[in-house]
Amino acid sequence: MARLDPANIPRHVAIIPDGNGRWAESRGLPREEGHRAGTEAVREIVRAAHELGVERLTIYTFSTENWVRPDEEVGAIMRLLETYLRTESDELHENGIRVEAAGRIHELDTNIQRELDSLIRRTEGNDEMRLAFALSYSGRSEIVDAARGIARAVEAGRLDPEAIDEKTVQGFLYLPDWPDPDLLIRAGDESRISNFMLWQLAYTEFYISSTLWPDFTKQHFVDAVLEYQKRERRLGKTSAQVQTPT
Ligand code: IPE
Ligand code: IPE
Ligand code: MG
């Protein structure tokens, strides 16, 4: 069996945990049960990422587009999220994990905002692994919000339009100090980006898994990292340039 190279663990892994609904429907269960099982997979994969030495993990938890789902389903997802934030707090904190959030957080229920805020503040000093939940998030709305922030800074005279570069834009994203993901894992067999991290995924390696998210285990995560370790990240260079850097 292939072995992981500990010197080449992706520093930042982003995940699109898709397939909860199909998992439930294929069992004749309500979609809510798929989201419940999906929460268990989140627990397992957070632990696995930490054990493997991943430094940062971003999980696409709820998209801006997901608000259009039936009220019943949105309500179930939000209740599960609130429970997760409350019940995982001790384990996350004890494992030294720092929790963060990206997205239009003000659009979430105030109860959830409160739980999230308390978890973020409780774990602020932790440095074992950073874990970001993308909530009411989309890549386009993040860029729109960054554009608004930049426009306000220009208007206030704090920023010269000619001085705007990629670093400036990065500085106005939801998590400005986070590096781009090295690896994106999408569960649930769809080969699309679904409005996730459009700015940050510029040179990220993609791994599509046919496994539905509730069935996604530590072994699937290890398989994704093994595949990542076979990739050559050329970043626009030729293969020869990558192999013999000057
Ligand atoms: C992903 O699973 C979780 C969320 C979008 C919140 P889905 O609910 O999209 O599952 P499928 O894609 O319908 O199977
Ligand atoms: C992406 O899954 C969003 C999350 C996993 C939170 P979707 O199920 O919403 O994506 P589409 O609709 O299949 O593109
Ligand atoms: Mg889906």
Side-chain angles (χ1 to χ4, degrees), residues 177-192:
D177 66 328
W178 279 55
D180 294 342
D182 300 296
L183 170 64
L184 171 76
I185 299 172
R186 181 166 184 143
D189 216 19
E190 307 288 4
S191 307
R192 57 179 172 250

mmCIF file with all atom_site columns, all heavy atoms in Angstrom, residues 177-192:
data_model
loop_
_atom_site.group_PDB
_atom_site.id
_atom_site.type_symbol
_atom_site.label_atom_id
_atom_site.label_alt_id
_atom_site.label_comp_id
_atom_site.label_asym_id
_atom_site.label_entity_id
_atom_site.label_seq_id
_atom_site.pdbx_PDB_ins_code
_atom_site.Cartn_x
_atom_site.Cartn_y
_atom_site.Cartn_z
_atom_site.occupancy
_atom_site.B_iso_or_equiv
_atom_site.pdbx_formal_charge
_atom_site.auth_seq_id
_atom_site.auth_comp_id
_atom_site.auth_asym_id
_atom_site.auth_atom_id
_atom_site.pdbx_PDB_model_num
ATOM 1   N N   . ASP A 1 177 ? -5.543  36.348 5.952   1.00 0.00 ? 177 ASP A N   1
ATOM 2   C CA  . ASP A 1 177 ? -4.208  35.787 6.207   1.00 0.00 ? 177 ASP A CA  1
ATOM 3   C C   . ASP A 1 177 ? -4.096  34.311 5.835   1.00 0.00 ? 177 ASP A C   1
ATOM 4   O O   . ASP A 1 177 ? -3.096  33.675 6.116   1.00 0.00 ? 177 ASP A O   1
ATOM 5   C CB  . ASP A 1 177 ? -3.809  36.015 7.674   1.00 0.00 ? 177 ASP A CB  1
ATOM 6   C CG  . ASP A 1 177 ? -4.708  35.233 8.630   1.00 0.00 ? 177 ASP A CG  1
ATOM 7   O OD1 . ASP A 1 177 ? -5.904  35.045 8.313   1.00 0.00 ? 177 ASP A OD1 1
ATOM 8   O OD2 . ASP A 1 177 ? -4.217  34.799 9.692   1.00 0.00 ? 177 ASP A OD2 1
ATOM 9   N N   . TRP A 1 178 ? -5.128  33.765 5.219   1.00 0.00 ? 178 TRP A N   1
ATOM 10  C CA  . TRP A 1 178 ? -5.052  32.349 4.835   1.00 0.00 ? 178 TRP A CA  1
ATOM 11  C C   . TRP A 1 178 ? -4.421  32.211 3.443   1.00 0.00 ? 178 TRP A C   1
ATOM 12  O O   . TRP A 1 178 ? -4.835  32.886 2.498   1.00 0.00 ? 178 TRP A O   1
ATOM 13  C CB  . TRP A 1 178 ? -6.463  31.732 4.797   1.00 0.00 ? 178 TRP A CB  1
ATOM 14  C CG  . TRP A 1 178 ? -6.969  31.344 6.155   1.00 0.00 ? 178 TRP A CG  1
ATOM 15  C CD1 . TRP A 1 178 ? -7.067  32.150 7.253   1.00 0.00 ? 178 TRP A CD1 1
ATOM 16  C CD2 . TRP A 1 178 ? -7.438  30.047 6.552   1.00 0.00 ? 178 TRP A CD2 1
ATOM 17  N NE1 . TRP A 1 178 ? -7.571  31.439 8.315   1.00 0.00 ? 178 TRP A NE1 1
ATOM 18  C CE2 . TRP A 1 178 ? -7.806  30.151 7.917   1.00 0.00 ? 178 TRP A CE2 1
ATOM 19  C CE3 . TRP A 1 178 ? -7.590  28.824 5.896   1.00 0.00 ? 178 TRP A CE3 1
ATOM 20  C CZ2 . TRP A 1 178 ? -8.314  29.064 8.627   1.00 0.00 ? 178 TRP A CZ2 1
ATOM 21  C CZ3 . TRP A 1 178 ? -8.110  27.742 6.607   1.00 0.00 ? 178 TRP A CZ3 1
ATOM 22  C CH2 . TRP A 1 178 ? -8.459  27.866 7.957   1.00 0.00 ? 178 TRP A CH2 1
ATOM 23  N N   . PRO A 1 179 ? -3.441  31.280 3.315   1.00 0.00 ? 179 PRO A N   1
ATOM 24  C CA  . PRO A 1 179 ? -2.899  31.006 1.981   1.00 0.00 ? 179 PRO A CA  1
ATOM 25  C C   . PRO A 1 179 ? -3.917  30.239 1.139   1.00 0.00 ? 179 PRO A C   1
ATOM 26  O O   . PRO A 1 179 ? -4.870  29.672 1.675   1.00 0.00 ? 179 PRO A O   1
ATOM 27  C CB  . PRO A 1 179 ? -1.667  30.140 2.267   1.00 0.00 ? 179 PRO A CB  1
ATOM 28  C CG  . PRO A 1 179 ? -1.970  29.477 3.567   1.00 0.00 ? 179 PRO A CG  1
ATOM 29  C CD  . PRO A 1 179 ? -2.841  30.420 4.353   1.00 0.00 ? 179 PRO A CD  1
ATOM 30  N N   . ASP A 1 180 ? -3.716  30.209 -0.158  1.00 0.00 ? 180 ASP A N   1
ATOM 31  C CA  . ASP A 1 180 ? -4.619  29.463 -1.045  1.00 0.00 ? 180 ASP A CA  1
ATOM 32  C C   . ASP A 1 180 ? -4.601  27.972 -0.687  1.00 0.00 ? 180 ASP A C   1
ATOM 33  O O   . ASP A 1 180 ? -3.567  27.455 -0.263  1.00 0.00 ? 180 ASP A O   1
ATOM 34  C CB  . ASP A 1 180 ? -4.166  29.598 -2.510  1.00 0.00 ? 180 ASP A CB  1
ATOM 35  C CG  . ASP A 1 180 ? -4.288  31.027 -3.013  1.00 0.00 ? 180 ASP A CG  1
ATOM 36  O OD1 . ASP A 1 180 ? -5.013  31.832 -2.394  1.00 0.00 ? 180 ASP A OD1 1
ATOM 37  O OD2 . ASP A 1 180 ? -3.635  31.326 -4.032  1.00 0.00 ? 180 ASP A OD2 1
ATOM 38  N N   . PRO A 1 181 ? -5.712  27.269 -0.924  1.00 0.00 ? 181 PRO A N   1
ATOM 39  C CA  . PRO A 1 181 ? -5.677  25.820 -0.693  1.00 0.00 ? 181 PRO A CA  1
ATOM 40  C C   . PRO A 1 181 ? -4.687  25.137 -1.639  1.00 0.00 ? 181 PRO A C   1
ATOM 41  O O   . PRO A 1 181 ? -4.547  25.531 -2.797  1.00 0.00 ? 181 PRO A O   1
ATOM 42  C CB  . PRO A 1 181 ? -7.107  25.363 -1.031  1.00 0.00 ? 181 PRO A CB  1
ATOM 43  C CG  . PRO A 1 181 ? -7.946  26.591 -0.962  1.00 0.00 ? 181 PRO A CG  1
ATOM 44  C CD  . PRO A 1 181 ? -7.047  27.719 -1.355  1.00 0.00 ? 181 PRO A CD  1
ATOM 45  N N   . ASP A 1 182 ? -3.994  24.127 -1.126  1.00 0.00 ? 182 ASP A N   1
ATOM 46  C CA  . ASP A 1 182 ? -3.128  23.303 -1.979  1.00 0.00 ? 182 ASP A CA  1
ATOM 47  C C   . ASP A 1 182 ? -3.956  22.225 -2.654  1.00 0.00 ? 182 ASP A C   1
ATOM 48  O O   . ASP A 1 182 ? -3.705  21.845 -3.788  1.00 0.00 ? 182 ASP A O   1
ATOM 49  C CB  . ASP A 1 182 ? -2.036  22.652 -1.118  1.00 0.00 ? 182 ASP A CB  1
ATOM 50  C CG  . ASP A 1 182 ? -1.196  23.698 -0.427  1.00 0.00 ? 182 ASP A CG  1
ATOM 51  O OD1 . ASP A 1 182 ? -0.522  24.448 -1.140  1.00 0.00 ? 182 ASP A OD1 1
ATOM 52  O OD2 . ASP A 1 182 ? -1.260  23.799 0.815   1.00 0.00 ? 182 ASP A OD2 1
ATOM 53  N N   . LEU A 1 183 ? -4.945  21.721 -1.908  1.00 0.00 ? 183 LEU A N   1
ATOM 54  C CA  . LEU A 1 183 ? -5.765  20.607 -2.394  1.00 0.00 ? 183 LEU A CA  1
ATOM 55  C C   . LEU A 1 183 ? -7.240  20.911 -2.133  1.00 0.00 ? 183 LEU A C   1
ATOM 56  O O   . LEU A 1 183 ? -7.608  21.321 -1.030  1.00 0.00 ? 183 LEU A O   1
ATOM 57  C CB  . LEU A 1 183 ? -5.356  19.329 -1.636  1.00 0.00 ? 183 LEU A CB  1
ATOM 58  C CG  . LEU A 1 183 ? -6.235  18.090 -1.810  1.00 0.00 ? 183 LEU A CG  1
ATOM 59  C CD1 . LEU A 1 183 ? -6.202  17.600 -3.265  1.00 0.00 ? 183 LEU A CD1 1
ATOM 60  C CD2 . LEU A 1 183 ? -5.769  16.958 -0.873  1.00 0.00 ? 183 LEU A CD2 1
ATOM 61  N N   . LEU A 1 184 ? -8.067  20.707 -3.171  1.00 0.00 ? 184 LEU A N   1
ATOM 62  C CA  . LEU A 1 184 ? -9.522  20.783 -3.019  1.00 0.00 ? 184 LEU A CA  1
ATOM 63  C C   . LEU A 1 184 ? -10.085 19.373 -3.194  1.00 0.00 ? 184 LEU A C   1
ATOM 64  O O   . LEU A 1 184 ? -9.831  18.727 -4.207  1.00 0.00 ? 184 LEU A O   1
ATOM 65  C CB  . LEU A 1 184 ? -10.149 21.695 -4.078  1.00 0.00 ? 184 LEU A CB  1
ATOM 66  C CG  . LEU A 1 184 ? -11.687 21.645 -4.094  1.00 0.00 ? 184 LEU A CG  1
ATOM 67  C CD1 . LEU A 1 184 ? -12.282 22.433 -2.930  1.00 0.00 ? 184 LEU A CD1 1
ATOM 68  C CD2 . LEU A 1 184 ? -12.250 22.165 -5.408  1.00 0.00 ? 184 LEU A CD2 1
ATOM 69  N N   . ILE A 1 185 ? -10.837 18.925 -2.203  1.00 0.00 ? 185 ILE A N   1
ATOM 70  C CA  . ILE A 1 185 ? -11.493 17.617 -2.300  1.00 0.00 ? 185 ILE A CA  1
ATOM 71  C C   . ILE A 1 185 ? -12.985 17.866 -2.463  1.00 0.00 ? 185 ILE A C   1
ATOM 72  O O   . ILE A 1 185 ? -13.591 18.588 -1.659  1.00 0.00 ? 185 ILE A O   1
ATOM 73  C CB  . ILE A 1 185 ? -11.271 16.785 -1.015  1.00 0.00 ? 185 ILE A CB  1
ATOM 74  C CG1 . ILE A 1 185 ? -9.778  16.526 -0.787  1.00 0.00 ? 185 ILE A CG1 1
ATOM 75  C CG2 . ILE A 1 185 ? -12.063 15.484 -1.080  1.00 0.00 ? 185 ILE A CG2 1
ATOM 76  C CD1 . ILE A 1 185 ? -9.464  15.875 0.567   1.00 0.00 ? 185 ILE A CD1 1
ATOM 77  N N   . ARG A 1 186 ? -13.580 17.295 -3.519  1.00 0.00 ? 186 ARG A N   1
ATOM 78  C CA  . ARG A 1 186 ? -15.040 17.349 -3.628  1.00 0.00 ? 186 ARG A CA  1
ATOM 79  C C   . ARG A 1 186 ? -15.577 15.931 -3.536  1.00 0.00 ? 186 ARG A C   1
ATOM 80  O O   . ARG A 1 186 ? -15.237 15.074 -4.368  1.00 0.00 ? 186 ARG A O   1
ATOM 81  C CB  . ARG A 1 186 ? -15.499 18.005 -4.935  1.00 0.00 ? 186 ARG A CB  1
ATOM 82  C CG  . ARG A 1 186 ? -17.032 18.067 -4.990  1.00 0.00 ? 186 ARG A CG  1
ATOM 83  C CD  . ARG A 1 186 ? -17.605 18.970 -6.051  1.00 0.00 ? 186 ARG A CD  1
ATOM 84  N NE  . ARG A 1 186 ? -19.066 19.004 -5.926  1.00 0.00 ? 186 ARG A NE  1
ATOM 85  C CZ  . ARG A 1 186 ? -19.826 20.060 -6.131  1.00 0.00 ? 186 ARG A CZ  1
ATOM 86  N NH1 . ARG A 1 186 ? -19.295 21.197 -6.519  1.00 0.00 ? 186 ARG A NH1 1
ATOM 87  N NH2 . ARG A 1 186 ? -21.135 19.982 -5.977  1.00 0.00 ? 186 ARG A NH2 1
ATOM 88  N N   . ALA A 1 187 ? -16.407 15.673 -2.544  1.00 0.00 ? 187 ALA A N   1
ATOM 89  C CA  . ALA A 1 187 ? -17.095 14.388 -2.431  1.00 0.00 ? 187 ALA A CA  1
ATOM 90  C C   . ALA A 1 187 ? -18.358 14.451 -3.279  1.00 0.00 ? 187 ALA A C   1
ATOM 91  O O   . ALA A 1 187 ? -18.795 15.530 -3.689  1.00 0.00 ? 187 ALA A O   1
ATOM 92  C CB  . ALA A 1 187 ? -17.444 14.112 -0.980  1.00 0.00 ? 187 ALA A CB  1
ATOM 93  N N   . GLY A 1 188 ? -18.962 13.299 -3.562  1.00 0.00 ? 188 GLY A N   1
ATOM 94  C CA  . GLY A 1 188 ? -20.279 13.266 -4.197  1.00 0.00 ? 188 GLY A CA  1
ATOM 95  C C   . GLY A 1 188 ? -20.268 13.268 -5.711  1.00 0.00 ? 188 GLY A C   1
ATOM 96  O O   . GLY A 1 188 ? -21.318 13.430 -6.338  1.00 0.00 ? 188 GLY A O   1
ATOM 97  N N   . ASP A 1 189 ? -19.057 13.118 -6.311  1.00 0.00 ? 189 ASP A N   1
ATOM 98  C CA  . ASP A 1 189 ? -18.942 12.787 -7.736  1.00 0.00 ? 189 ASP A CA  1
ATOM 99  C C   . ASP A 1 189 ? -19.281 13.893 -8.737  1.00 0.00 ? 189 ASP A C   1
ATOM 100 O O   . ASP A 1 189 ? -19.384 13.612 -9.925  1.00 0.00 ? 189 ASP A O   1
ATOM 101 C CB  . ASP A 1 189 ? -19.799 11.545 -8.043  1.00 0.00 ? 189 ASP A CB  1
ATOM 102 C CG  . ASP A 1 189 ? -19.122 10.655 -9.082  1.00 0.00 ? 189 ASP A CG  1
ATOM 103 O OD1 . ASP A 1 189 ? -17.891 10.797 -9.268  1.00 0.00 ? 189 ASP A OD1 1
ATOM 104 O OD2 . ASP A 1 189 ? -19.819 9.838  -9.704  1.00 0.00 ? 189 ASP A OD2 1
ATOM 105 N N   . GLU A 1 190 ? -19.508 15.111 -8.308  1.00 0.00 ? 190 GLU A N   1
ATOM 106 C CA  . GLU A 1 190 ? -19.764 16.181 -9.284  1.00 0.00 ? 190 GLU A CA  1
ATOM 107 C C   . GLU A 1 190 ? -18.455 16.899 -9.572  1.00 0.00 ? 190 GLU A C   1
ATOM 108 O O   . GLU A 1 190 ? -17.715 17.228 -8.653  1.00 0.00 ? 190 GLU A O   1
ATOM 109 C CB  . GLU A 1 190 ? -20.759 17.216 -8.728  1.00 0.00 ? 190 GLU A CB  1
ATOM 110 C CG  . GLU A 1 190 ? -22.068 16.667 -8.209  1.00 0.00 ? 190 GLU A CG  1
ATOM 111 C CD  . GLU A 1 190 ? -22.988 16.180 -9.314  1.00 0.00 ? 190 GLU A CD  1
ATOM 112 O OE1 . GLU A 1 190 ? -22.594 16.196 -10.492 1.00 0.00 ? 190 GLU A OE1 1
ATOM 113 O OE2 . GLU A 1 190 ? -24.113 15.772 -8.990  1.00 0.00 ? 190 GLU A OE2 1
ATOM 114 N N   . SER A 1 191 ? -18.227 17.172 -10.883 1.00 0.00 ? 191 SER A N   1
ATOM 115 C CA  . SER A 1 191 ? -16.981 17.843 -11.265 1.00 0.00 ? 191 SER A CA  1
ATOM 116 C C   . SER A 1 191 ? -17.240 19.320 -11.491 1.00 0.00 ? 191 SER A C   1
ATOM 117 O O   . SER A 1 191 ? -17.142 19.806 -12.615 1.00 0.00 ? 191 SER A O   1
ATOM 118 C CB  . SER A 1 191 ? -16.421 17.212 -12.535 1.00 0.00 ? 191 SER A CB  1
ATOM 119 O OG  . SER A 1 191 ? -16.310 15.829 -12.355 1.00 0.00 ? 191 SER A OG  1
ATOM 120 N N   . ARG A 1 192 ? -17.625 20.021 -10.452 1.00 0.00 ? 192 ARG A N   1
ATOM 121 C CA  . ARG A 1 192 ? -17.825 21.465 -10.603 1.00 0.00 ? 192 ARG A CA  1
ATOM 122 C C   . ARG A 1 192 ? -17.437 22.172 -9.312  1.00 0.00 ? 192 ARG A C   1
ATOM 123 O O   . ARG A 1 192 ? -17.308 21.560 -8.257  1.00 0.00 ? 192 ARG A O   1
ATOM 124 C CB  . ARG A 1 192 ? -19.265 21.781 -11.010 1.00 0.00 ? 192 ARG A CB  1
ATOM 125 C CG  . ARG A 1 192 ? -20.307 21.246 -10.062 1.00 0.00 ? 192 ARG A CG  1
ATOM 126 C CD  . ARG A 1 192 ? -21.723 21.638 -10.524 1.00 0.00 ? 192 ARG A CD  1
ATOM 127 N NE  . ARG A 1 192 ? -22.738 20.976 -9.727  1.00 0.00 ? 192 ARG A NE  1
ATOM 128 C CZ  . ARG A 1 192 ? -23.536 20.007 -10.172 1.00 0.00 ? 192 ARG A CZ  1
ATOM 129 N NH1 . ARG A 1 192 ? -23.446 19.581 -11.419 1.00 0.00 ? 192 ARG A NH1 1
ATOM 130 N NH2 . ARG A 1 192 ? -24.439 19.443 -9.378  1.00 0.00 ? 192 ARG A NH2 1
#
